[in-house]
Amino acid sequence: MPALSLVALVSVVSTVFAKQLDAHPPQQQHHHWAQICSGNPINKIRGCDRYGCGHFGADRHSGKGKHAGVDVICADGATVYAPFSGQLSGPIRFFHNGNAIDDGVQIRGSGYCVKLVCIHPIRYHGQIHRGQQLGRMLPMQRVFPGIVSHIHVENCDHSDPTPLLTHVLPPLPQNTHWAVVCSGNPTNEIRGCDKYGCGYYGAPRRNGKGKHTGVDVICADGATVYAPFSGELSGPIKIFHNGNAIDDGVQIRGSGFCVKLVCIHPIRYRGRISKGQVLGRMLPMQRVFPGITSHIHVENCDRSDPTSNLERGKWQKE
């Protein structure tokens, strides 16, 4: 073939290929994965609870191992979606003991390969598209009462999937984590489950007709309560409106936060308070709810989840 004809042919092929790319761009164009769980539009990752933490590399097996994935918050029974388009394979068994959450599936495609565990997929094989319904979240509370229910998301090569799940955000202020809230609870441990219910954010309330809009930080009756951050006090805050022995509380607004602390008696309802300063004392919860895990109800003013602000109380040196 003459040289000029060959050049012309290459030019034509290149033009056609470029047009095809415009019409069908590579799937890798999605640098961030789609929403994985209904009710969690930003793929928020589980913080820390009494079972451990959900971020990549968190301690496992009493510090002898590391978390090879991340835990994306997902309420039991919630709808699960495909993060990207690809081919399904499975089932994926993580626990190998047949418990209520020992199920999952792998997706490979669009330049990615990931395992989603603690879900029941609609099928284990075939093609699925980004954002398409993949299955449902399994009942994690039945296996780990009081844990923050979540999907375990693990890249097939054990690399960190966090950047693909969450958009890059500007650095947070240094003091995004609150101080210890209650004496005797240096890690701001959140109440698990007892006969009255569970203390994590979003736990069922009113026989399943409502959701917990705060978290319950464990605190013994009569214990000293501290300000989680510096701010302005206002109150009193009443949530029971029946005058019982724990129907008291206060709001703090400042340092970029606004929170209500309930079931405590503050030293005052007005004025300025500093992070770590004595705020008041825990009221006698056992008198009202015998056998409950006594706790402070901590609720953000906008009803968002305060768990991530509380989870590192153990590192605060106030």
Side-chain angles (χ1 to χ4, degrees), residues 28-48:
Q28 188 75 23
Q29 66 176 320
H30 293 294
H31 298 298
H32 293 97
W33 295 348
Q35 176 182 347
I36 289 179
C37 178
S38 61
N40 183 2
I42 59 172
N43 290 331
K44 185 173 182 181
I45 294 169
R46 165 189 170 219
C48 298

Side-chain angles (χ1 to χ4, degrees), residues 61-287:
H61 315 302
S62 301
K64 296 177 182 177
K66 296 293 183 183
H67 194 200
V70 298
D71 298 337
V72 174
I73 295 171
C74 194
D76 292 7
T79 302
V80 178
Y81 304 102
F84 52 84
S85 300
Q87 197 73 23
L88 300 174
S89 62
I92 301 296
R93 308 295 187 192
F94 192 77
F95 299 95
H96 303 289
N97 61 5
N99 68 22
I101 58 173
D102 198 13
D103 199 3
V105 72
Q106 177 179 291
I107 311 176
R108 183 185 294 274
S110 308
Y112 307 113
C113 178
V114 74
K115 298 173 184 177
L116 289 90
V117 185
C118 305
I119 72 165
H120 180 63
I122 53 175
R123 60 182 185 274
Y124 295 110
H125 299 285
Q127 182 76 17
I128 197 163
H129 296 289
R130 174 186 169 103
Q132 186 179 343
Q133 183 175 338
L134 175 62
R136 61 178 174 79
M137 177 66 195
L138 289 169
M140 187 167 282
Q141 294 304 312
R142 192 184 303 170
V143 182
F144 301 111
I147 200 169
V148 177
S149 292
H150 60 270
I151 303 165
H152 176 77
V153 179
E154 183 175 317
N155 277 337
C156 299
D157 63 1
H158 299 293
S159 61
D160 184 3
T162 306
L164 299 167
L165 288 161
T166 56
H167 291 276
V168 177
L169 298 173
L172 292 170
Q174 280 190 332
N175 292 326
T176 56
H177 294 102
W178 298 346
V180 172
V181 173
C182 177
S183 61
N185 183 2
T187 62
N188 288 331
E189 183 180 357
I190 293 169
R191 166 190 170 219
C193 298
D194 52 45
K195 64 180 178 178
Y196 294 96
C198 302
Y200 61 90
Y201 181 80
R205 288 294 185 269
R206 299 187 295 281
N207 296 319
K209 296 177 182 176
K211 297 288 185 182
H212 193 202
T213 54
V215 297
D216 297 336
V217 175
I218 297 171
C219 194
D221 292 7
T224 302
V225 178
Y226 304 100
F229 52 84
S230 300
E232 202 71 22
L233 300 174
S234 62
I237 302 296
K238 311 286 189 183
I239 62 168
F240 297 97
H241 304 289
N242 61 6
N244 69 22
I246 58 173
D247 198 13
D248 198 5
V250 71
Q251 177 178 292
I252 311 176
R253 183 185 294 273
S255 307
F257 306 111
C258 179
V259 74
K260 298 173 184 177
L261 290 90
V262 185
C263 306
I264 72 166
H265 180 64
I267 52 175
R268 60 182 184 275
Y269 297 111
R270 298 282 186 272
R272 183 81 185 166
I273 196 163
S274 299
K275 181 175 181 175
Q277 186 180 342
V278 173
L279 175 62
R281 61 179 173 80
M282 177 65 197
L283 289 170
M285 187 167 282
Q286 294 303 313
R287 192 185 303 170

